[in-house]
Amino acid sequence: MKIKKALALLLAAMLLMSVMTGCGAKEAPAAKADDPAPAATDAPAEAPISAEDSEFFGPIYDEWSDMTDEELYEKAKEEVADGSEINIYATSSKMLKVEEDFEEAYPGLNLTIMDLDQDEVLDKCKLEAQSGNIFGDVLQAKDVNGSVFFEFYEDGNCTAFYPKDICSKIDEGLLRYGYPLYASQSFWYYNTEAFPDGQPVTSWWQIIEKNEDGSQKYRLFTKNIGDETAYLSLFASFIVNADQMEKAYKDIYGTDLEYTYDASGFDFEVPENNAGVEFMWRFSQMKMTFIGDGDELVLAVHNSTADDPALALASGGKIGNRDESGYNIAWLTNLTPYTGLENCEYMYVVQGCKHPAAARLFIRWVTGGADGESGGLKPFSKEGNWPVRSDVECDWNPATLEECGAIESDLGAIYDIFLDTQDLWIYWLDQNPNMKG
């Protein structure tokens, strides 16, 4: 590939130096005529965040939305007449695999794909906007807690592109926060050899069950939840959907949930008798092993036994270790009240980019093109990822995300309480005697 991650970071550092030494603090470039203006931010601080009230709430159609691949290609060739390349800022290394196929499909258009972490990608785009030196054209990013939508997208650092013909094949609920590339979710994994008759639990409450002697039923492995936006967002969703959590408890145990958490000592209002808060409190007091690598998380499950069973929370894609490495692992599906959140990878056009037509042509191509057959989705078509298009058959997954128990994410509601959820978790985990060295 033309530019590796290290070089991308070097360019970002050089750009930062130029801003600090020569450019000063410039305002972000004005929005182009075809892009929506940033939303107003004069709502009362105490008002709940509502994505529906945002003018960025999708789908948003403009004159670009009706353009065909052929029309965009003609404009794109004019944009690169000076020999410039189309810069793709990606958060998945799989994006590197599409370069040659795209360039073969559209001769004369050359890509530079930078594989970066999400924070690096977003910071790089913000830095470019502040300096007025826009290098990026396309941005790939996942939004699990609303921060990309409310703090990046609304600030005018990027704009969504909604191609009408392709969007007609996507559930409109998945178009609310941007234009999706594919969907995924995290799963709890269990050991299929230890539990040959099927998954041992059917509810989130059973994951934190204890034996009669007070010992944990399962050893729990996960990434450090306090640093994992996706997992904290899931806990925040339980707080939002407290009624469902409360019902799930009663359905399993036949009795009403007893609330035991102490909400005092916080400088924000903690809801009383909230089943989601109660679950997080109980979970935070379990003995957990934090492992940063997803492959090692599922390995811990593979190495567990029926006498010493383990569960691990990891991305759905880690199921690949079952076939590639022979791990005895499977997903826990259809947990009550729901297995997880349907998280999307989104494709954005960088605001003020040099190649707006080429950027949109690439986005169309990488999401399948007009008929879903472009080949752009191929690197992302693996077990644990789900296409969002109704005309793309997903024969690599055993079931749909909905059939696995995922629900669509309410990013506005999650964003509204995310920081409080994080504070609760970190404070309570610090009180956990099982997690002290």
Side-chain angles (χ1 to χ4, degrees):
M1 296 297 157
K2 296 183 178 67
I3 291 187
K4 302 298 183 183
K5 181 174 180 178
L7 181 55
L9 294 175
L10 178 60
L11 290 174
M14 292 172 63
L15 182 56
L16 176 61
M17 185 176 295
S18 70
V19 173
M20 294 174 62
T21 60
C23 297
K26 295 186 180 180
E27 294 183 359
K32 297 162 65 178
D34 56 80
D35 294 329
T41 57
D42 55 357
E46 67 274 9
I49 297 293
S50 175
E52 289 88 342
D53 293 338
S54 170
E55 58 188 283
F56 291 79
F57 190 71
I60 303 167
Y61 298 116
D62 55 22
E63 63 269 25
W64 293 103
S65 301
D66 291 312
M67 288 190 182
T68 64
D69 295 327
E70 292 73 19
E71 291 171 326
L72 289 171
Y73 184 32
E74 290 305 312
K75 289 181 175 292
K77 285 189 289 187
E78 295 176 6
E79 292 171 349
V80 300
D82 59 356
S84 57
E85 297 186 339
I86 304 145
N87 294 312
I88 313 298
Y89 294 166
T91 57
S92 169
S93 60
K94 295 179 182 65
M95 191 67 76
L96 296 168
K97 298 178 180 180
V98 308
E99 179 182 348
E100 292 182 5
D101 289 342
F102 176 81
E103 291 176 349
E104 183 178 339
Y106 295 102
L109 302 185
N110 297 313
L111 300 181
T112 294
I113 298 178
M114 302 185 190
D115 174 23
L116 304 168
D117 294 335
Q118 173 138 321
D119 287 344
E120 294 169 341
V121 162
L122 299 180
D123 289 345
K124 185 170 173 56
C125 285
K126 289 179 181 178
L127 186 61
E128 291 181 8
Q130 291 168 3
S131 69
N133 298 314
I134 311 297
F135 295 110
D137 294 296
V138 175
L139 164 68
Q140 173 201 354
K142 178 183 287 188
D143 197 3
V144 294
N145 69 340
S147 61
V148 175
F149 184 90
F150 292 105
E151 299 172 13
F152 186 84
Y153 182 25
E154 280 197 345
D155 284 350
N157 294 295
C158 63
T159 183
F161 165 53
Y162 291 96
K164 274 188 182 178
D165 57 336
I166 301 177
C167 288
S168 67
K169 301 174 177 67
I170 302 174
D171 184 333
E172 190 165 294
L174 297 179
L175 299 171
R176 296 178 295 182
Y177 308 108
Y179 178 65
L181 173 60
Y182 65 87
S184 62
Q185 77 162 46
S186 299
F187 287 92
W188 283 99
Y189 288 78
Y190 73 97
N191 186 303
T192 53
E193 191 174 73
F195 299 99
D197 296 329
Q199 64 186 63
V201 303
T202 59
S203 171
W204 275 83
W205 291 103
Q206 291 175 313
I207 291 170
I208 58 172
E209 270 187 0
K210 295 184 177 180
N211 298 308
E212 290 185 3
D213 63 1
S215 62
Q216 289 184 201
K217 226 173 211 186
Y218 306 101
R219 287 188 294 131
L220 302 179
F221 293 85
T222 178
K223 293 184 178 181
N224 189 336
I225 292 174
D227 297 330
E228 285 295 314
T229 305
Y231 299 161
L232 285 171
S233 297
L234 185 55
F235 282 158
S237 79
F238 291 152
I239 297 173
V240 171
N241 299 313
D243 291 347
Q244 294 182 45
M245 288 295 288
E246 190 173 53
K247 181 179 183 301
Y249 183 91
K250 189 165 187 177
D251 288 345
I252 287 291
Y253 301 110
T255 59
D256 291 333
L257 175 64
E258 179 184 358
Y259 294 95
T260 61
Y261 63 89
D262 181 3
S264 64
F266 297 99
D267 59 359
F268 53 86
E269 184 177 352
V270 179
E272 296 181 0
N273 294 341
N274 182 289
V277 176
E278 178 66 26
F279 176 84
M280 188 168 69
W281 155 247
R282 296 189 186 189
F283 193 108
S284 72
Q285 300 309 295
M286 302 294 284
K287 184 175 182 179
M288 294 162 275
T289 300
F290 295 146
I291 301 176
D293 183 84
D295 294 318
E296 293 183 15
L297 284 169
V298 294
L299 177 60
V301 172
H302 170 71
N303 289 333
S304 66
T305 64
D307 294 330
D308 188 21
L311 303 174
L313 182 61
S315 66
K318 295 306 173 183
I319 194 66
N321 285 282
R322 177 197 57 209
D323 302 321
E324 296 169 6
S325 305
Y327 290 2
N328 299 314
I329 56 173
W331 297 327
L332 293 177
T333 61
N334 291 304
L335 298 178
T336 57
Y338 45 86
T339 307
L341 301 177
E342 186 171 5
N343 296 319
C344 287
E345 292 281 350
Y346 295 102
M347 302 299 299
Y348 301 95
V349 177
V350 176
Q351 187 72 274
C353 68
K354 184 177 181 180
H355 310 104
R360 289 168 170 85
L361 177 62
F362 176 79
I363 289 174
R364 284 182 59 88
W365 183 86
V366 80
T367 56
D371 57 4
E373 301 291 335
S374 71
L377 283 170
K378 185 177 180 180
F380 310 99
S381 301
K382 69 165 194 170
E383 193 169 4
N385 292 343
W386 280 261
V388 295
R389 296 176 56 144
S390 61
D391 61 338
V392 174
E393 185 178 355
C394 181
D395 56 5
W396 55 87
N397 280 312
T400 66
L401 265 176
E402 184 178 5
E403 290 168 343
C404 290
I407 65 167
E408 290 183 11
S409 181
D410 184 346
L411 291 188
I414 290 173
Y415 180 79
D416 203 34
I417 64 168
F418 179 81
L419 293 179
D420 290 349
T421 303
Q422 186 174 43
D423 287 346
L424 285 168
W425 172 266
I426 292 173
Y427 180 77
W428 281 339
L429 183 68
D430 188 59
Q431 296 180 357
N432 184 344
N434 296 307
M435 300 298 290
K436 297 186 183 297

